[in-house]
């Protein structure tokens, strides 16, 4: 019997059904601890497929899970596969099951479609426990008349069960998924091969080492150039056991139950104790066939690897202003491990290649456990304010460790550190405004927020007292129109970058030239009733103002203590009201900046 179909399937776990084409087998998950695995499952073929039989497929079959009393189920994965685009509505023990992942591929010879499906059923199997598992309502009979033409009418299912037992050695289980196919075509003698890389291994003892396979569509009576081999540490060995000869590995058998009638599917487990040595970190599985189609779904390895796996995480770095000390929390974990992590495991902190501190774990960290710690580091002066802090667990300070581990390349963690120092700033000049009276002034210093800063990210605020600036309270909100009631007045500036600096500048006033309004109409209407000089009173407090008529007669003298002149003639003869007309003034400001008096005229209109 020669088959003419190529099949590539990828089976993997997702939360909802997706369609995928074939994909290389790779690591799906890794489980460390006192674990082992087993397979159960069954075919739906009443006999091995040929070009004339079987003419129908069963729609259900059963298998029995029989774990020991101390075995605890950790994981359980369901696979089902067969001819056609896929039956996605099956039942397991009467419970509806739909795939997390459905894969379809088309064969190379007859362009027939095949499928494989996957579902994580861990909770279901944990709840059900030991007993009979029946997969039902799996009906592919409508495809049999078509697929019998090249003898690829098949259906089957399997459950991979991972279980824990306290009496087991500490093992590492690696589950590799993604289905690959051998698909030799006519003429006979053309051999198809595949090699699957098994990475992430670590072996401390080869006792009990084994490898298991879930495969579809292998034929007991086809064994042309068929071979399954395992290679590690430069040595290749052909796998075989009582049920699986070296030239017919995929032959419809279940080595867990010694069944030889698992038609067109294989659940096979091989010992590899003699093919692997302590320290092994990778291996390969190679398959070849000159006629039989073999579709490999899952590879599972169990290796004795009683080692810790130390990892570390840094968080919550904290430093004070203008200090080169950093306090930081760290957590050392032993999660992905098969042995405890001993106390006094060294932890070294680096900046670049410079080791700046070493500490040690305090307690034995159990499998799956962790330990928290805190350390205060003193950062050398030569290290810049911004730097990358690296920590290595199981590092004595020179890059070497003292604990053999499952994984030696996951011991580091990095975090960015920024030491904060008080920011630099630009000095600010005093601001001078016109004296509005009694040294009061209006000021706009909003632009100083930009001028004072040496970094646009710094936060700038203005305050009326030094203590307010230090405590960052009561900021001045009207810096563009600030009313200083008295001057000189010191304004304090806080420059903040996490730390802060405080500087200040002075607000000053000067006596600006007064403005004379020389039109006077003393008629009591509230407008121009007096001779008003703006910027004079309470500014030039010692001023003296003399009023003369046009013939030079002195009529009135004013100062800061007298009201503005309203046309009244002091010591006048007859009328004391100055008549309408032009008058002259002399204004002595008596200010060191104004040596000469201001003179001019005014006009009274009555």
């Amino acid at each position: 019997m020669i088959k003419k179909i190529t099949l590539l399937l990828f089976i993997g776990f997702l939360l909802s059904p997706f369609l995928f084409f074939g994909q290389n087998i790779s690591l799906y998950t890794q489980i460390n601890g006192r674990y082992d695995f087993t397979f159960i499952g069954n075919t739906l073929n009443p006999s091995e497929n040929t070009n004339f039989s079987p003419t129908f497929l069963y729609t259900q079959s059963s298998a029995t899970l029989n774990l020991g009393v101390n075995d605890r189920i950790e994981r359980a994965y369901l696979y089902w596969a067969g001819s056609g685009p896929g039956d996605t509505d099956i039942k397991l023990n009467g419970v509806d099951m739909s795939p997390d992942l459905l894969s379809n591929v088309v064969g190379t010879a007859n362009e027939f479609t095949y499928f494989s499906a996957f579902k994580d059923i861990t909770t279901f199997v944990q709840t059900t426990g030991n007993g009979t598992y029946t997969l039902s309502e799996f009906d592919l009979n409508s495809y049999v008349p078509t697929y019998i033409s090249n003898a690829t009418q098949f259906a089957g299912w399997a459950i991979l069960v991972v279980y824990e037992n306290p009496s087991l050695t500490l093992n590492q289980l690696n589950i590799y998924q993604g289905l690959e196919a051998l698909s030799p075509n006519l003429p006979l003698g053309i051999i198809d091969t595949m090699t699957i890389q098994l990475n992430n291994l670590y072996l401390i003892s080869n006792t009990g080492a084994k490898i298991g396979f879930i495969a579809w569509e292998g034929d007991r009576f086809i064994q042309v150039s068929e071979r399954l081999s395992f290679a590690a540490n430069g040595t290749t060995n052909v796998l075989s056991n009582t049920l699986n000869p070296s030239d017919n590995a995929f032959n419809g058998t279940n080595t867990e139950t010694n069944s030889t009638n698992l038609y067109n599917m294989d659940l096979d487990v091989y010992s590899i104790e003699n093919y692997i040595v302590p320290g092994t970190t990778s291996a390969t599985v190679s398959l070849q066939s000159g006629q039989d189609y073999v579709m490999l779904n899952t590879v599972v390895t169990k290796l004795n690897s009683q080692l810790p796996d130390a990892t570390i995480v840094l968080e919550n770095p904290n430093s004070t202003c203008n200090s080169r000390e950093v306090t930081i929390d760290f957590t050392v974990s032993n999660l992905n491990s098969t042995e405890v992590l001993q106390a006094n495991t060294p932890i070294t902190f680096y900046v670049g290649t410079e080791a700046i501190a070493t500490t040690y774990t305090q307690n034995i960290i159990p499998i799956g456990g962790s330990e928290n710690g805190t350390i205060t580091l003193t950062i050398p002066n030569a290290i810049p304010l911004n730097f990358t802090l690296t920590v290595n667990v199981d590092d004595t300070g020179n890059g070497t460790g003292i604990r053999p581990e499952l994984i030696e390349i996951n011991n580091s963690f990095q975090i960015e550190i920024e030491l904060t120092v008080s920011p630099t700033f630009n000095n600010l000049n005093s601001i001078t405004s016109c004296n509005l009276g009694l040294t009061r002034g209006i000021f706009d210093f909003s632009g100083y927020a930009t001028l004072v800063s040496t970094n646009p990210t710094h936060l700038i605020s203005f305050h009326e007292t030094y203590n307010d600036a230090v405590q960052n309270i009561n900021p001045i909100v009207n810096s563009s129109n600030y009313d200083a009631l008295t001057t000189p007045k010191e304004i304090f500036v806080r420059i903040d970058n996490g730390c802060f600096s405080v500087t200040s500048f002075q607000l000053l006033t000067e006596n600006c030239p007064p403005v004379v309004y020389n039109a006077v109409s003393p008629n009591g209407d509230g407008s121009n009733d007096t001779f008003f000089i703006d910027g004079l009173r309470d500014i030039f407090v010692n001023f003296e103002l003399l009023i003369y008529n046009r013939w030079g007669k002195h009529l009135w003298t004013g100062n800061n203590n007298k009201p503005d002149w309203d046309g009244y003639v002091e010591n006048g003869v007859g009328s004391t009201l100055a008549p309408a007309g032009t008058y002259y003034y002399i204004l002595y400001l008596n200010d060191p900046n104004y040596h000469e008096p201001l003179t001019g005229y005014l006009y009274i209109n009555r």
Side-chain angles (χ1 to χ4, degrees):
M1 175 177 62
I2 299 175
K3 300 180 181 179
K4 306 173 182 177
I5 304 298
T6 297
L7 181 60
L8 286 174
L9 298 178
F10 168 63
I11 302 296
F13 171 75
L14 289 179
L15 296 178
S16 57
F18 284 87
L19 182 65
F20 279 89
F21 292 102
Q23 181 170 324
N24 293 338
I25 290 175
S26 60
L27 183 65
Y28 171 67
T29 189
Q30 188 177 76
I31 307 168
N32 295 290
R34 300 185 186 278
Y35 295 108
D36 203 341
F37 71 91
T38 189
F39 299 125
I40 68 167
N42 208 344
T43 181
L44 279 79
N45 283 44
S47 61
E48 188 158 327
N49 55 18
T50 69
N51 295 104
F52 52 85
S53 69
T55 58
F56 72 96
L57 300 174
Y58 295 127
T59 60
Q60 72 175 48
S61 62
S62 300
T64 301
L65 179 64
N66 187 25
L67 296 176
V69 65
N70 293 321
D71 294 335
R72 183 190 66 83
I73 296 167
E74 173 68 19
R75 309 278 178 89
Y77 302 130
L78 172 65
Y79 307 83
W80 67 102
S83 309
D87 187 344
T88 61
D89 187 16
I90 56 98
K91 294 182 184 295
L92 184 63
N93 288 4
V95 177
D96 290 331
M97 296 285 167
S98 57
D100 295 330
L101 182 68
L102 175 69
S103 301
N104 282 141
V105 292
V106 177
T108 59
N110 294 53
E111 296 187 352
F112 291 166
T113 298
Y114 301 84
F115 83 94
S116 184
F118 167 81
K119 186 172 184 64
D120 186 334
I121 59 169
T122 298
T123 301
F124 180 86
V125 176
Q126 287 173 336
T127 302
T128 305
N130 283 337
T132 300
Y133 287 77
T134 299
L135 192 89
S136 60
E137 298 189 17
F138 186 15
D139 190 353
L140 302 183
N141 281 291
S142 61
Y143 302 102
V144 171
T146 300
Y147 287 75
I148 197 174
S149 64
N150 69 344
T152 57
Q153 70 281 28
F154 83 96
W157 62 278
I159 300 175
L160 165 61
V161 178
V162 176
Y163 61 91
E164 182 182 37
N165 190 302
S167 65
L168 292 170
T169 58
L170 289 163
N171 299 313
Q172 181 184 76
L173 268 62
N174 288 334
I175 300 175
Y176 305 85
Q177 290 194 159
L179 197 124
E180 299 186 52
L182 290 175
S183 52
N185 287 305
L186 289 174
L188 291 177
I190 296 178
I191 299 174
D192 193 14
T193 63
M194 75 169 76
T195 297
I196 299 165
Q197 187 73 38
L198 307 179
N199 293 320
N200 299 86
L201 305 177
Y202 192 90
L203 184 69
I204 192 171
S205 167
N206 59 2
T207 302
K210 66 179 184 179
I211 188 168
F213 301 89
I214 297 177
W216 310 108
E217 236 302 291
D219 290 274
R220 175 173 36 175
F221 299 115
I222 301 178
Q223 54 196 70
V224 177
S225 301
E226 185 174 321
R227 187 172 65 198
L228 172 65
S229 57
F230 178 86
N233 308 111
T235 302
T236 299
N237 294 276
V238 177
L239 296 179
S240 64
N241 54 34
T242 303
L243 294 182
N244 304 99
S246 60
D247 61 351
N248 196 10
F250 298 100
N251 56 354
T253 56
N254 182 347
T255 52
E256 299 285 64
T257 63
N258 290 316
S259 172
T260 59
N261 58 355
L262 202 66
Y263 304 124
N264 302 110
M265 62 176 287
D266 280 88
L267 302 177
D268 295 326
V269 179
Y270 298 86
S271 170
I272 53 174
E273 285 188 1
N274 298 325
Y275 307 148
I276 197 166
V277 298
T280 298
T281 58
S282 65
T284 59
V285 171
S286 298
L287 298 82
Q288 72 172 48
S289 174
Q291 183 176 348
D292 198 4
Y293 289 103
V294 178
M295 296 165 297
L296 189 60
N297 235 166
T298 304
V299 180
V300 187
T301 61
K302 187 202 81 170
L303 305 174
N304 178 232
S305 54
Q306 298 181 46
L307 289 175
D309 181 39
T311 59
I312 190 167
V313 173
L314 300 179
E315 56 188 354
N316 304 321
N318 183 53
S319 63
T320 59
C321 289
N322 304 311
S323 170
R324 297 194 69 84
E325 289 190 345
V326 177
T327 300
I328 193 163
D329 298 332
F330 61 88
T331 301
V332 178
S333 299
N334 188 32
L335 302 178
N336 190 31
S337 61
T338 53
E339 180 58 284
V340 300
L341 179 66
Q342 294 296 327
N344 296 313
T345 297
I347 304 165
T348 298
F349 295 82
Y350 292 86
V351 178
T353 59
E354 181 180 356
I356 61 173
T358 298
T359 187
Y360 299 86
T361 59
Q362 300 300 302
N363 306 291
I364 294 175
I365 302 177
I367 296 170
S370 60
E371 176 182 289
N372 297 323
T374 300
I375 189 172
T376 297
L377 305 172
T378 300
I379 309 302
N381 290 330
I383 293 172
L385 296 178
N386 297 327
F387 62 91
T388 300
L389 179 67
T390 300
V391 61
N392 294 340
V393 63
D394 192 26
D395 183 341
T396 58
N398 58 7
T400 61
I402 61 173
R403 311 286 187 217
E405 297 183 65
L406 276 176
I407 303 173
E408 295 285 1
I409 59 173
N410 64 347
N411 291 32
S412 293
F413 189 88
Q414 290 186 335
I415 192 170
E416 298 301 315
I417 301 293
E418 180 180 359
L419 299 177
T420 52
V421 297
S422 296
T424 59
F425 54 85
N426 297 315
N427 292 323
L428 298 172
N429 295 324
S430 299
I431 299 177
T432 301
S433 179
C434 288
N435 183 1
L436 299 180
L438 303 177
T439 72
R440 173 175 169 261
I442 301 296
F443 298 87
D444 179 0
F445 48 84
S446 58
Y448 272 16
T450 301
L451 291 177
V452 74
S453 177
T454 60
N455 187 317
T457 64
H458 293 170
L459 300 178
I460 310 299
S461 57
F462 301 100
H463 303 265
E464 293 186 327
T465 70
Y466 178 79
N467 285 337
D468 282 357
V470 170
Q471 297 177 45
N472 199 21
I473 60 175
N474 303 320
I476 296 172
V477 296
N478 59 337
S479 60
S480 62
N481 189 38
Y482 179 77
D483 190 349
L485 298 180
T486 60
T487 58
K489 183 173 182 61
E490 188 174 12
I491 299 297
F492 298 89
V493 189
R494 178 186 173 103
I495 307 98
D496 200 324
N497 68 343
C499 292
F500 69 92
S501 297
V502 176
T503 185
S504 68
F505 60 95
Q506 292 285 341
L507 300 180
L508 306 175
T509 55
E510 63 180 0
N511 296 338
C512 297
V515 178
V516 177
Y517 294 89
N518 58 2
V520 181
S521 57
N523 54 12
D525 65 355
S527 177
N528 302 319
D529 285 334
T530 62
F531 178 38
F532 177 66
I533 302 176
D534 192 17
L536 178 63
R537 290 187 176 277
D538 295 331
I539 299 171
F540 298 93
V541 294
N542 296 316
F543 78 87
E544 184 178 37
L545 177 62
L546 304 177
I547 304 296
Y548 298 86
N549 66 16
R550 59 184 174 174
W551 296 283
K553 180 176 176 57
H554 177 230
L555 304 180
W556 182 82
T557 300
N559 56 45
N560 200 52
N561 298 317
K562 293 175 66 175
D564 293 337
W565 187 51
D566 60 358
Y568 174 74
V569 178
E570 292 179 327
N571 302 318
V573 177
S575 176
T576 59
L577 296 179
T582 301
Y583 296 83
Y584 299 91
Y585 67 86
I586 299 175
L587 177 58
Y588 295 95
L589 296 176
N590 296 318
D591 185 282
N593 293 324
Y594 298 88
H595 299 288
E596 299 298 325
L598 303 180
T599 61
Y601 71 92
L602 69 144
Y603 183 79
I604 294 179
N605 181 30
R606 292 188 182 274

